Amino acid sequence: MAIGMMLAIFGGMLVCVQNTFNANVKKRVGAWATTTLVLCLGFLASLLIGLFQEGGGLFRVDEMETWYWFSGILGVGVVMSVTQGVERLGPSYAISIVMVSQILFALLWDTLGWFGLTAVPFTWKTVVGIMLIVGGVLVFQLSGKVKPTRASMNRAS
C-alpha cells in the first residue's frame, strides 16, 4: 500500500509539472502542436522503455477488451483540456478542479461498477470524505486570492 501511495503522489507531481510545461509550450506553438509533441514523445519513450522491459511481449493484448485499446485517444482530450485549463486558470486552480473532477468521476464509476470495476458501496462516510475534499479545495482556492492594491500595481509598472 505504501508503494502505491508513493506512486500516486509521484504521478500527481508529474501531472502538475507536465501540464505547466505544456501550457508554456502551447504559448509558442499552439494547442494541437503541443498535444502532438507531448503524445508523440510519450509514445516513443513508452515504446523504448516497454521494449527494453518486456521485449516481444509488449503488445500481448489477446485477453483485453478491444475498446480499451482506444484509451490513448482519451489522452488527446486530457492534454488539450488540462493544458488550456492551466494556461487560463494557473496550475493550482486548474489542477485542483481536475483533482476534484477525477475524484467525483472515480467515485461514480466505483459505485456503479463501470468499466470492469468491482462496485463499491456508496456510504455516508464517502459523502463526508468527498465534502471534506471539495471543501478543502475551495478553502485553498478562495483564501489564496489577493486583490492587487494601487501601491502594488504602481510597483509592478
Side-chain angles (χ1 to χ4, degrees):
M1 184 167 169
I3 292 174
M5 292 174 81
M6 293 302 294
L7 287 169
I9 290 168
F10 185 66
M13 185 263 316
L14 290 176
V15 166
C16 186
V17 171
Q18 179 194 29
N19 286 299
T20 302
F21 286 7
N22 291 352
N24 285 317
V25 172
K26 183 188 170 290
K27 290 177 186 176
R28 289 167 181 74
V29 297
W32 286 111
T34 300
T35 302
T36 303
L37 178 69
V38 166
L39 295 176
C40 284
L41 288 174
F43 168 76
L44 288 173
S46 62
L47 177 65
L48 294 173
I49 294 167
L51 287 171
F52 178 75
Q53 294 260 316
E54 298 179 27
L58 178 63
F59 293 106
R60 208 173 299 129
V61 294
D62 44 326
E63 294 184 23
M64 185 175 58
E65 296 285 341
T66 306
W67 55 287
Y68 288 149
W69 297 2
F70 297 97
S71 67
I73 295 171
L74 298 175
V76 173
V78 171
V79 173
M80 287 292 290
S81 300
V82 179
T83 298
Q84 292 185 66
V86 167
E87 181 185 31
R88 290 184 170 103
L89 302 172
S92 67
Y93 194 49
I95 298 300
S96 295
I97 294 170
V98 168
M99 182 184 73
V100 170
S101 172
Q102 285 179 316
I103 290 169
L104 292 175
F105 281 103
L107 174 64
L108 175 68
W109 295 325
D110 271 351
T111 302
L112 298 175
W114 287 0
F115 306 116
L117 298 170
T118 303
V120 176
F122 187 80
T123 66
W124 68 271
K125 291 179 183 178
T126 306
V127 173
V128 170
I130 293 297
M131 288 173 54
L132 287 170
I133 291 168
V134 171
V137 168
L138 287 173
V139 167
F140 170 70
Q141 289 303 327
L142 296 176
S143 66
K145 302 293 182 207
V146 177
K147 292 183 180 178
T149 64
R150 190 172 297 219
S152 68
M153 289 172 61
N154 288 337
R155 282 192 305 257
S157 357

